[in-house]
Amino acid sequence: MTTESRPLLESKELVAGYIPEVNVLNGCSVHVDAGELVGIIGPNGAGKSTLIKAMFGLVPIRSGQVYLRDDEITGARAHTLVAKGLGYVPQNDNVFPSLTIEETLQMGIFLRPKEYPERFKAVSELFPLLSERSNQRCGSLSGGERQVVAMGRALMTNPDVLFLDEPSAGLSPLMQDSVFEAVKKINAAGVSILMVEQNANSCLEISDRAYVLDQGKDAYTGTGRQLMEDPKVVELYLGTLARIG
């Protein structure tokens, strides 16, 4: 991607919601450049998770556009988007407890089984846990380990962009730290990331750029550091969000 081309991933003025005539997003615009880790923070009900679900084809888009490079992908189905280079890790119930780590990773690339050995090698080099304990059932893993398995499964298709929906939710502070380290490793390996996160301060600390969503719109944007030091953002959002996180 050249500096003159459009962002790797972009949403423009998205309006979306779960039920007719009730909008959760009210004209939300964000973008991710190649190699970036972009955070999405904001109060409960701001539309954070809805944004990435809409971009990933899981929530109906009423108006606005989503682009992957020069390809408009607005409203495309999730399986189509995976084939185009997007990955998604949901917040809850993102692994099957009865499956082993190996079986979970196989699910991530079940349409291209011949590629499994190569992708398993690449992903387990990033996270050795996946090969060292490949026969362990996911239900016996800690919350942080399950998140790593879920991210590993999404990486099996070798995505260009990975959506993460509150990866630290429900975890202890120590496990949250390990998950954020995993997120940084994925990004350092060349995967662009759009991450929704309730732990606002930790999200901003590792994000290249971030957006503050409020009432379904992108209210503020800047580098992670800029937002952490913006008095208005701190006053309106970070104090409450830090306590929640």
Side-chain angles (χ1 to χ4, degrees):
M1 176 173 161
T2 64
T3 56
E4 290 80 13
S5 63
R6 71 186 317 149
L8 175 59
L9 179 72
E10 183 177 21
S11 73
K12 290 186 173 182
E13 297 292 325
L14 285 192
V15 176
Y18 298 88
I19 59 177
E21 300 180 10
V22 179
N23 295 329
V24 179
L25 299 180
N26 296 289
C28 190
S29 300
V30 304
H31 76 270
V32 180
D33 290 326
E36 276 195 311
L37 197 173
V38 177
I40 305 289
I41 65 170
N44 287 333
K48 304 184 299 296
S49 293
T50 302
L51 171 62
I52 60 174
K53 288 177 180 176
M55 294 176 74
F56 196 66
L58 300 175
V59 174
I61 294 174
R62 293 176 183 142
S63 65
Q65 301 83 37
V66 183
Y67 293 93
L68 180 64
R69 300 185 181 87
D70 294 319
D71 185 12
E72 184 174 356
I73 58 172
T74 312
R77 301 286 294 274
H79 68 274
T80 300
L81 297 177
V82 169
K84 289 180 177 291
L86 299 184
Y88 171 68
V89 180
Q91 176 183 348
N92 297 315
D93 302 321
N94 52 22
V95 295
F96 292 102
S98 61
L99 296 184
T100 66
I101 291 176
E102 183 174 18
E103 290 167 339
T104 301
L105 297 181
Q106 288 171 340
M107 282 183 59
I109 200 168
F110 73 97
L111 291 177
R112 289 147 42 192
K114 291 183 179 179
E115 297 179 25
Y116 176 78
E118 177 185 349
R119 291 307 303 153
F120 177 77
K121 182 175 184 294
V123 174
S124 60
E125 284 178 355
L126 197 60
F127 301 117
L129 159 78
L130 302 178
S131 58
E132 293 168 357
R133 296 160 65 180
S134 62
N135 293 322
Q136 186 168 341
R137 296 196 184 279
C138 293
S140 66
L141 301 173
S142 70
E145 291 167 343
R146 286 196 295 271
Q147 280 290 2
V148 168
V149 173
M151 290 189 285
R153 181 189 58 214
L155 292 173
M156 291 297 288
T157 58
N158 198 21
D160 297 313
V161 183
L162 184 62
F163 292 106
L164 298 176
D165 190 358
E166 300 201 17
S168 76
L171 301 180
S172 68
L174 184 60
M175 285 293 98
Q176 288 185 18
D177 290 343
S178 70
V179 166
F180 288 129
E181 286 300 318
V183 171
K184 290 195 293 184
K185 287 180 69 174
I186 292 170
N187 182 238
V191 180
S192 303
I193 293 174
L194 183 61
M195 176 176 67
V196 165
E197 183 49 57
Q198 195 68 26
N199 188 332
N201 284 296
S202 292
C203 178
L204 295 179
E205 283 176 0
I206 68 171
S207 295
D208 297 311
R209 287 189 307 108
Y211 294 87
V212 180
L213 265 58
D214 198 355
Q215 300 181 40
K217 296 197 71 172
D218 46 303
Y220 296 91
T221 186
T223 67
R225 178 57 54 187
Q226 286 170 341
L227 292 179
M228 290 182 77
E229 296 175 352
D230 186 316
K232 189 172 294 186
V233 172
V234 171
E235 177 187 359
L236 294 178
Y237 304 101
L238 291 186
T240 300
L241 291 172
R243 289 194 293 274
I244 292 173

